[in-house]
Amino acid sequence: MPKAAKPKTNTAKSNSNPLNARSANATKGSAASKGSKEAPPSSSRDPDPTSAASGHNASHGANTQASSPTPATTKADDDRNYLLHCMNVLTSNPIITRLLSVPPSLTFGQLHQALQAAFGWTNIHMHSFRVEIDNLSEKRGLSFPKNALTLQSRRDLESSGLGREVEDESKWTLRDVIEKEEWDGKPVSKADVHLMYEYDMGDGWEHQIQLLGRAEKGLHAALTGLPEEKAQKVLCVSGEGHPCAEDCGSEPGWEELKKAFTKQKGDRELKEWYKNVCANGDRKGLDPWKWDLMDVNAELEMIKA
């Protein structure tokens, strides 16, 4: 297992980032188009405990107000964890991914905490979730995903000013969304439901969340060495890629920062900024491929699901 520096705690630093000036005029690609460049990587090291798989389309649609969550109806109760393939769609070489095993009862507020830990963020910026549903919108005979629900934290709800257009993420569970059989009065399947998580509205880091299926019973016990009932409920199973740097200027800035550390005579100013100023930087430097599964799971263990 490759070892990487521990992601820092959620203590914000005063950032004077030289990347912001360099990448201010750089044009960001849309999260959807960047996500379509490369398929989620597979690895022979990754276990395959899935029972189902589904595709994902990260296209954006118009937002519609959703009603309060109601208990999801299912043909058979199933308390096995969901397996979620999570991908930072603005990254490449490597694409930063994490495979998470989480209980269906996990709220989106808790999922936010899990994604922060898994991707090495420090929770110093606003975030939101979008629930996009296929086949709810039609135009000229063509169907496309519709933004059926947007979720934010109470703190971000108060500061965003979006009001009734956005729901409280602490009141919705993954089961409420994934097992919901109707949206806008139309029947939908799990394959029609797509989740997107955006962190830092300035840099616009989009994370695509794809339901792969259910974790087999005993997976957590096998990975932690503890009895199933005592094993942690939220677990990172596998992944790839070092966490992105906070406030680096989105995709262009992240690429420039990686080059600074991979070239023998890389930009010294950028290196010093990352080592000494960046909120989740590392004094030892940056290897884009290194990350630590055990460190991530130590953070995830704090989530009481």
Side-chain angles (χ1 to χ4, degrees):
M1 179 66 60
K3 298 291 293 181
K6 264 191 177 181
K8 297 290 190 300
T9 58
N10 296 358
T11 303
K13 301 180 183 178
S14 174
N15 289 0
S16 177
N17 182 2
L19 286 168
N20 290 337
R22 301 174 185 210
S23 59
N25 297 323
T27 304
K28 295 181 184 178
S30 71
S33 62
K34 296 299 292 183
S36 64
K37 279 188 176 180
E38 302 181 54
S42 60
S43 171
S44 59
R45 295 173 296 172
D46 295 353
D48 185 19
T50 63
S51 56
S54 61
H56 188 92
N57 186 330
S59 301
H60 291 241
N63 182 59
T64 59
Q65 184 177 345
S67 59
S68 298
T70 56
T73 57
T74 57
K75 293 182 179 179
D77 291 334
D78 192 345
D79 62 353
R80 291 178 301 162
N81 273 20
Y82 292 135
L83 284 171
L84 303 178
H85 182 275
C86 308
M87 175 176 68
N88 187 329
V89 300
L90 291 182
T91 60
S92 60
N93 194 33
I95 299 175
I96 303 174
T97 62
R98 302 290 185 261
L99 178 60
L100 301 180
S101 175
V102 301
S105 60
L106 198 75
T107 69
F108 278 85
Q110 292 171 315
L111 180 59
H112 159 66
Q113 296 174 29
L115 291 169
Q116 287 286 304
F119 285 89
W121 298 120
T122 59
N123 201 23
I124 58 176
H125 296 290
M126 293 177 63
H127 71 277
S128 68
F129 289 94
R130 295 194 312 276
V131 179
E132 298 177 348
I133 310 296
D134 284 342
N135 304 318
L136 285 190
S137 297
E138 291 189 9
K139 186 175 182 180
R140 297 179 180 177
L142 299 176
S143 297
F144 53 93
K146 184 175 184 178
N147 188 16
L149 177 64
T150 300
L151 302 170
Q152 282 187 312
S153 68
R154 291 179 183 176
R155 180 194 66 183
D156 291 349
L157 276 170
E158 293 173 357
S159 58
S160 67
L162 296 177
R164 291 183 299 174
E165 295 180 3
V166 181
E167 299 278 342
D168 185 344
E169 65 184 19
S170 68
K171 296 182 179 179
W172 287 78
T173 68
L174 284 167
R175 180 187 282 114
D176 292 333
V177 170
I178 292 174
E179 306 294 340
K180 190 174 173 66
E181 296 181 343
E182 287 189 359
W183 288 88
D184 288 358
K186 295 182 180 181
V188 298
S189 67
K190 290 183 180 68
D192 294 326
V193 181
H194 309 306
L195 305 179
M196 295 295 294
Y197 170 74
E198 182 177 4
Y199 172 66
D200 185 354
M201 306 311 180
D203 281 2
W205 294 110
E206 292 269 9
H207 304 70
Q208 182 186 87
I209 304 170
Q210 178 184 355
L211 174 66
L212 298 185
R214 299 272 190 167
E216 294 297 333
K217 291 287 187 181
L219 173 66
H220 287 216
L223 293 177
T224 63
L226 296 172
E228 190 73 12
E229 63 274 10
K230 294 183 178 180
Q232 66 188 80
K233 304 304 180 185
V234 180
L235 198 67
C236 183
V237 179
S238 64
E240 188 170 54
H242 190 284
C244 282
E246 292 272 14
D247 299 310
C248 67
S250 193
E251 178 194 12
W254 177 238
E255 290 301 315
E256 191 172 352
L257 185 62
K258 288 192 296 182
K259 288 179 183 177
F261 279 96
T262 53
K263 290 183 177 180
Q264 188 173 3
K265 295 184 178 180
D267 191 312
R268 184 173 181 178
E269 184 181 4
L270 288 184
K271 291 180 179 180
E272 290 302 314
W273 171 82
Y274 178 75
K275 291 179 179 180
N276 300 305
V277 181
C278 179
N280 61 343
D282 183 355
R283 289 184 178 274
K284 295 180 181 179
L286 170 64
D287 180 337
W289 294 89
K290 285 187 177 180
W291 72 290
D292 195 308
L293 177 65
M294 293 181 67
D295 284 351
V296 168
N297 279 325
E299 294 286 336
L300 293 177
E301 193 172 11
M302 307 288 288
I303 301 174
K304 303 304 179 184

